Amino acid sequence: RIMSLLEVEDLCKTFEGPAHFFGSQRFNAVDNVSFTLAPKQTLAIIGKNGSGKSTLLKMIAGITPPTSGQIRFNGKPLSYADSCFRAQHIRMLFQDANSAFNPRQNIGQILDAPLRLLTDWDEETRDKKIFHTLQLVGLYADYTNLKIHHLPASQRQRVALARALILEPEIILIDDALSAADASVQIQLLNLTLDLQTHFGLSYIYVGQDLGLIKHMADYLLVMDEGKMIEFGTPHELFTNPKTTVTRLMVESYFGRLLDDSAWAQTS
């Protein structure tokens, strides 16, 4: 059998709320979620606001420690403390490229930071890697001297993608990063992420609300509600024949109806 790249097993995150007369109020943000991700696969996670999907992503990224459960990468259990190992293999693409960057840094400095922290390469080798990675995301080498806030939003998102790619990770976590862009930019970025997936054999976990994007890019779809995983399947299965009311309502509110097989017919 194919070894899973990432295995998430019974992952839980409980937050302690303020204490009341009846004792402390525990809140299960993520409640016993399990799934596997294979190499070169895209998993999308959807759910209403507050369903736990961002907390789940942050635990996989190593930003939030899980309360219980296990995350394994290539069969190796990941602990919350091993941020260096995780930063090389699992990278995050944030929703807001503005707040993810230090505005005082130029693009060269932004892309150099992970290389300086996590490799022992000399400056010349790092520069070559930076120029090559910029090229991969459709930007020129001389962008390195520009400040990030001088770029339009679509190019900032490309820099964010370059930073996620630069250490050649196996998995990129995408926190709704594509849906903020306007439609034409979104299509460019989507095509770019799919090309990079083919080129590098990347796996993606995409958290977002854009079911049109998910229909196009995801192999599997995980639906969350109140911290629990309530449905799992291919976009085709879940958009044509959802088993839960929550999924049905999300599909109908996005597409206006449940889809049928004709929505997957190849358009000539």
Side-chain angles (χ1 to χ4, degrees), residues 51 58 134 144 150 154 194 208 218:
S51 60
K58 285 175 181 164
L134 282 171
T144 49
H150 290 156
S154 65
L194 294 173

Side-chain angles (χ1 to χ4, degrees), residues 40 129 132 136 165 168-169 195-202:
K40 305 179 188 176
K129 182 67 175 173
H132 177 61
L136 284 172
L165 273 175
E168 298 181 21
D195 289 347
L196 291 167
Q197 183 170 42
T198 307
H199 186 79
F200 289 109
L202 289 164

Side-chain angles (χ1 to χ4, degrees), residues 8-162:
V8 170
E9 194 179 319
D10 296 331
L11 208 59
C12 295
K13 181 63 186 179
T14 305
F15 291 106
E16 296 287 344
H20 289 287
F21 296 115
F22 306 108
S24 77
Q25 204 171 19
R26 294 167 70 86
F27 164 61
N28 292 331
V30 174
D31 198 354
N32 282 321
V33 170
S34 301
F35 65 85
T36 59
L37 181 71
K40 305 179 188 176
Q41 213 174 56
T42 298
L43 170 70
I45 302 172
I46 64 170
K48 295 184 293 233
N49 288 339
S51 60
K53 54 193 191 297
S54 287
T55 305
L56 176 59
L57 204 66
K58 285 175 181 164
M59 287 193 283
I60 296 166
I63 296 168
T64 300
T67 305
S68 61
Q70 201 166 56
I71 303 168
R72 285 187 292 272
F73 176 84
N74 271 337
K76 171 192 186 311
L78 293 179
S79 72
Y80 175 60
D82 55 19
S83 52
C84 286
F85 177 84
R86 213 181 295 223
Q88 284 175 298
H89 298 282
I90 302 173
R91 304 284 291 166
M92 184 113 171
L93 192 59
F94 290 97
Q95 183 172 18
D96 179 12
N98 284 338
S99 60
F101 295 124
N102 177 347
R104 290 191 294 279
Q105 291 188 322
N106 66 29
I107 288 156
Q109 290 168 315
I110 285 167
L111 296 182
D112 195 34
L115 298 178
R116 278 205 327 276
L117 279 169
L118 294 161
T119 72
D120 53 6
W121 298 350
D122 61 23
E123 191 175 346
E124 187 186 356
T125 311
R126 296 200 312 268
D127 284 348
K128 273 188 185 150
K129 182 67 175 173
I130 289 166
F131 297 154
H132 177 61
T133 308
L134 282 171
Q135 205 179 344
L136 284 172
V137 300
L139 298 174
Y140 296 109
D142 53 11
Y143 270 67
T144 49
N145 299 314
L146 296 175
K147 289 274 200 284
I148 188 77
H149 61 266
H150 290 156
L151 298 186
S154 65
Q155 292 186 346
R156 282 198 296 267
Q157 205 61 67
R158 286 171 190 265
V159 174
L161 194 52

